Amino acid sequence: MSLDASAQELFLRLCAETANAEHSTDRASKNLSGIWSQVDSPVWQELVSCFAAQQGRQYATFGLQLLRHGVALLRQSSPTKELDDRLLSDLFQLYAEASPKSDSTFQAMVLNLLASAPQESAWETFVKALAEHTPEDPRDIVLAMGPLFSDVPEKLVASLFPALSDYLGKITLAAPILDLANFYTRRHCVSEHPLKSRATSLAEMLGQMAQRVLQLEESPPESQEELVRRGQQVHDSVAIMIGLVDALALIDDPQYVGKIYPLLDIAHRRLRVEAASALAKLGEKAGAEALCELAAESSVRLRVLAYAEELGIDEQIDESFRLPESRAEGELVAWLAEPTQFAVPPDEVSLFDQRSLYWPGFDDPIDCFLFRFNYSRETGLENIGIAGPGAKTVACDLLDLPPQQIYSLFAGLDAEHNDI
């Protein structure tokens, strides 16, 4: 589409069509899609400038469509094509003037767009925008930082670090920043860990958080409200502590093992696994022993086995925990313990049935396992779940059904066919 002098006209037309499409008219939606399909990168940049100059912007409607189209264009363009300074200035203006409360998704999309452009100036603007306002919703952080997790040259990483390390004190940013630094190190994008110069501060931060979590575990809550509050505090701390432990292991300096050892006394299983694995990587025999012992905990068994195999110590784990049925039990229990399911592991799990079956999505027969589980201490809930072709359970009571019918039910949930 040729701009000529029609950028403002196109902008106004898109705004009008967006308003019409909000009334869910098919014709308006088709018209809108047709117009956007003709917008190329130069035209899009002019639209961004028009939007930056517009008063009374509608961030949640036209603004989001504008940014999503920009991300799509970036993914289609040549890696050598960069965002120019004018566009970066307009994007920063839009970010700074948006309302953190009502337009947080728009702000996250601006960050996402900047992160999607693998160039120093765009990533420096990303950090500058974070300094202007840090998203408070963890979902916005995930949206914003997702594109940064990619294999990039060390020169580009320098656009983010050490600048991002100034935000490790923010709860919503600490874990993603640590994960990003650990990612670049693990993928060999950098010659040394981006936070190596701050290793002592990271170790002190880990030590303080470990002591705080231990104190919370040792003193019983006085009310249900306090129990919920403490649960949130621990939840917020866990992701950060995992990132800290991983960072110290990747920095590979034995002087910090003293800050990791206290985590072996914390009740949280995942933290204990990460601490044991980190200590083992740093050459601590006690870490390897603790990691092997944690294979008995079904909710973290698969993670323990993966770390042990990586460290070459999997043969030290009791053979009974390495059997296919034990791995399958770990798969189901870990799934049940997800926040989107029951959030905690079941109180009891026992093998109900196992057999090799043809399964939707697989060419050859696979090992399928049914487990009986219950949450007797909480709700008295008891049911049957499957593992092998994937962990799953259902809301309806399966306890009185024969195994073959239960397998059929789960297979039907996974099957897609015109005859069904």
Side-chain angles (χ1 to χ4, degrees):
M1 177 179 290
S2 176
L3 269 181
D4 295 330
S6 61
Q8 185 65 31
E9 291 179 8
L10 177 60
F11 171 75
L12 294 174
R13 182 182 176 191
L14 280 166
C15 287
E17 293 292 348
T18 299
N20 291 335
E22 284 188 305
H23 298 294
S24 302
T25 62
D26 292 339
R27 183 176 180 181
S29 297
K30 290 180 180 178
N31 288 342
L32 187 60
S33 299
I35 299 172
W36 278 117
S37 67
Q38 301 177 66
V39 174
D40 57 15
S41 292
V43 174
W44 175 76
Q45 180 167 334
E46 292 299 325
L47 291 175
V48 173
S49 294
C50 291
F51 191 49
Q54 179 76 9
Q55 299 295 321
R57 305 184 190 99
Q58 293 181 317
Y59 288 100
T61 51
F62 173 79
L64 286 176
Q65 289 184 2
L66 181 66
L67 293 177
R68 290 186 179 116
H69 189 72
V71 172
L73 290 172
L74 275 174
R75 291 173 179 169
Q76 297 167 11
S77 65
S78 167
T80 59
K81 188 175 181 62
E82 296 191 348
L83 306 183
D84 61 34
D85 291 341
R86 174 191 170 195
L87 176 59
L88 292 176
S89 177
D90 287 338
L91 289 170
F92 181 79
Q93 177 191 342
L94 289 168
Y95 181 92
E97 293 181 1
S99 167
K101 292 185 178 180
S102 59
D103 306 314
S104 62
T105 302
F106 175 84
Q107 289 185 316
M109 276 301 301
V110 173
L111 294 172
N112 178 277
L113 191 151
L114 293 169
S116 297
Q119 65 185 75
E120 293 176 60
S121 56
W123 284 19
E124 288 168 355
T125 304
F126 175 95
V127 176
K128 180 183 175 183
L130 275 184
E132 177 75 21
H133 171 72
T134 301
E136 298 181 0
D137 191 328
R139 293 170 296 183
D140 290 336
I141 297 292
V142 172
L143 173 61
M145 296 186 66
L148 299 177
F149 288 82
S150 57
D151 293 334
V152 296
E154 187 164 10
K155 184 179 180 181
L156 192 53
V157 176
S159 305
L160 301 175
F161 293 98
L164 282 180
S165 60
D166 293 336
Y167 303 98
L168 287 172
K170 293 181 178 289
I171 290 179
T172 55
L173 282 179
I177 290 173
L178 288 164
D179 289 344
L180 187 62
N182 295 338
F183 173 87
Y184 289 143
T185 305
R186 192 167 279 110
R187 297 301 289 263
H188 305 291
C189 297
V190 290
S191 55
E192 66 176 30
H193 197 284
L195 299 175
K196 184 175 182 178
S197 63
R198 303 206 177 197
T200 300
S201 297
L202 298 182
E204 290 300 324
M205 184 177 178
L206 177 63
Q208 293 170 5
M209 297 185 76
Q211 289 302 313
R212 177 57 179 159
V213 171
L214 284 168
Q215 290 173 2
L216 289 173
E217 290 181 348
E218 291 171 358
S219 57
E222 298 180 356
S223 65
Q224 181 65 28
E225 291 76 13
E226 185 179 356
L227 177 63
V228 173
R229 181 178 58 82
R230 287 190 181 189
Q232 186 60 49
Q233 288 178 331
V234 172
H235 179 270
D236 292 340
S237 300
V238 166
I240 300 174
M241 293 171 72
I242 289 173
L244 289 168
V245 168
D246 193 21
L248 293 176
L250 289 169
I251 290 170
D252 195 20
D253 190 335
Q255 70 171 305
Y256 301 116
V257 297
K259 297 296 184 180
I260 301 177
Y261 265 106
L263 272 69
L264 296 179
D265 297 324
I266 290 177
H268 197 283
R269 298 176 182 86
R270 173 73 190 280
L271 276 178
R272 296 210 313 272
V273 170
E274 298 298 331
S277 175
L279 289 170
K281 290 176 183 176
L282 292 170
E284 297 292 302
K285 183 180 178 181
E289 292 174 348
L291 185 66
C292 293
E293 291 173 1
L294 281 163
E297 300 281 356
S298 55
S299 62
V300 292
R301 183 173 297 147
L302 294 184
R303 190 175 296 275
V304 168
L305 293 172
Y307 287 166
E309 289 169 7
E310 180 184 338
L311 292 164
I313 60 173
D314 49 309
E315 294 296 327
Q316 298 178 28
I317 294 177
D318 191 302
E319 185 179 2
S320 64
F321 299 131
R322 292 184 277 129
L323 296 173
E325 65 185 66
S326 296
R327 290 176 180 268
E329 178 187 341
E331 179 187 6
L332 177 63
V333 172
W335 182 79
L336 290 170
E338 287 287 336
T340 53
Q341 303 305 319
F342 291 91
V344 292
D347 298 312
E348 295 180 0
V349 181
S350 59
L351 183 64
F352 184 73
D353 188 83
Q354 71 177 88
R355 61 188 72 186
S356 182
L357 297 170
Y358 283 100
W359 203 263
F362 296 87
D363 294 329
D364 300 314
I366 63 168
D367 292 330
C368 300
F369 302 84
L370 296 179
F371 292 94
R372 188 169 186 149
F373 66 89
N374 71 68
Y375 285 85
S376 56
R377 288 180 298 180
E378 297 294 332
T379 62
L381 174 67
E382 187 173 7
N383 211 345
I384 303 291
I386 191 171
K392 189 173 295 184
T393 187
V394 290
C396 56
D397 190 342
L398 306 179
L399 295 173
D400 294 329
L401 294 178
Q404 189 61 46
Q405 290 189 22
I406 299 176
Y407 285 121
S408 297
L409 183 150
F410 284 121
L413 294 177
D414 290 339
E416 291 184 10
H417 194 277
N418 292 334
D419 294 338
I420 300 179

